[in-house]
Amino acid sequence: MMKNLLPFLLLVSQHALAVVVEVNEGAESVLLPCEFSGLIPENDSTVMWTHKDLYNKSVHLRRKEGDDLGEQNQGYSGRTSMRPDALNTGNFSLTLRKPQLTDSGNYTCSISDGREERRLIDIQLQVKDYKVEVDSGVESVQLPCKTTVNLPKDAKVEWKNKNNRK
Ligand SMILES: *[C@@H]1O[C@H](CO)[C@@H](O)[C@H](O)[C@H]1NC(C)=O
Ligand SMILES: *[C@@H]1O[C@H](CO)[C@@H](O)[C@H](O)[C@H]1NC(C)=O
Ligand SMILES: *[C@@H]1O[C@H](CO)[C@@H](O)[C@H](O)[C@H]1NC(C)=O
Ligand SMILES: *[C@@H]1O[C@H](CO)[C@@H](O)[C@H](O)[C@H]1NC(C)=O
């Protein structure tokens, strides 16, 4: 075990990088980069993506055997993926599909050998409001709006302008 742990401990003092990633709401996906060039522990190595601001912090968890999403925050269900070969290549980047405004915040990518945890990178994700630009005088413009939740039968849709007028 010590043989495995030692190179790991030597790296712990290095500061994690901080990176800002911006994406528009409605984009197909966004990539949160995390690349590790150090030695990946042979046993019990786990890569964790967490969202600091959430009660359920777990966004994605990868073990040698594969993804372990049992504790994943349900808000990310079916929307996260990592390369299948991540633990061999050190490319721990996370693909987050259908980014939503509420996904904004600080994410951390870290690796653990079961005993020590090392933060590799902090990503500040900013999901921006949909912005539609149009030239004056065109025939029409489409304002996109869709929802993913199961709406109740009596749901109604209302469009308002910034002055709160229907
Ligand atoms: C990793 O696990 C294998 C199998 O359990 C064991 O034989 C080996 O000693 C372990 N290596 C380290 C560095 O702990
Ligand atoms: C939070 O995590 C627990 C498992 O640790 C899970 O059972 C629960 O459904 C999660 N809640 C949400 C809102 O994702
Ligand atoms: C890491 O993987 C992502 C896809 O998950 C890819 O877009 C990116 O180019 C890869 N980075 C490197 C350095 O290969
Ligand atoms: C994310 O981290 C940055 C830098 O540490 C901080 O300025 C910002 O307020 C944080 N954002 C949230 C939503 O906590």
Side-chain angles (χ1 to χ4, degrees):
M1 201 58 182
M2 276 317 286
K3 228 164 105 193
N4 201 353
L5 205 57
L6 198 55
F8 217 71
L9 287 171
L10 295 174
L11 295 165
V12 168
S13 60
Q14 288 179 1
H15 289 289
L17 291 162
V19 166
V20 177
V21 172
E22 290 186 340
V23 68
N24 285 320
E25 191 185 33
E28 192 50 43
S29 69
V30 59
L31 186 75
L32 308 185
C34 179
E35 273 145 30
F36 182 56
S37 54
L39 189 76
I40 297 171
E42 209 180 298
N43 294 343
D44 296 325
S45 52
T46 309
V47 178
M48 286 158 294
W49 275 99
T50 54
H51 186 161
K52 282 187 207 162
D53 318 322
L54 297 178
Y55 174 67
N56 256 21
K57 300 189 184 318
S58 179
V59 173
H60 197 98
L61 198 143
R62 166 65 61 81
R63 300 185 194 279
K64 268 263 147 63
E65 310 83 72
D67 287 336
D68 180 354
L69 304 179
E71 306 257 289
Q72 183 187 43
N73 184 308
Q74 286 165 4
Y76 294 96
S77 180
R79 294 200 296 131
T80 59
S81 59
M82 282 171 71
R83 294 168 62 99
D85 60 0
L87 275 167
N88 300 319
T89 61
N91 185 348
F92 303 154
S93 302
L94 184 80
T95 301
L96 176 61
R97 279 182 293 281
K98 305 279 181 205
Q100 299 158 13
L101 290 181
T102 49
D103 292 334
S104 296
N106 291 319
Y107 292 73
T108 299
C109 169
S110 49
I111 183 167
S112 160
D113 66 355
R115 299 180 63 183
E116 301 289 331
E117 189 176 322
R118 184 187 165 202
R119 257 166 71 205
L120 300 175
I121 193 167
D122 287 330
I123 309 267
Q124 196 179 339
L125 177 65
Q126 294 173 357
V127 183
K128 297 163 140 195
D129 248 324
Y130 220 100
K131 196 170 171 184
V132 176
E133 286 186 36
V134 66
D135 292 324
S136 65
V138 295
E139 191 62 37
S140 68
V141 60
Q142 190 176 58
L143 308 183
C145 175
K146 59 182 174 189
T147 172
T148 52
V149 298
N150 289 321
L151 297 173
K153 276 209 178 77
D154 57 353
K156 60 178 183 179
V157 178
E158 199 172 87
W159 281 88
K160 286 178 174 178
N161 69 7
K162 67 173 182 214
N163 301 323
N164 220 26
R165 288 177 58 174
K166 269 186 215 171

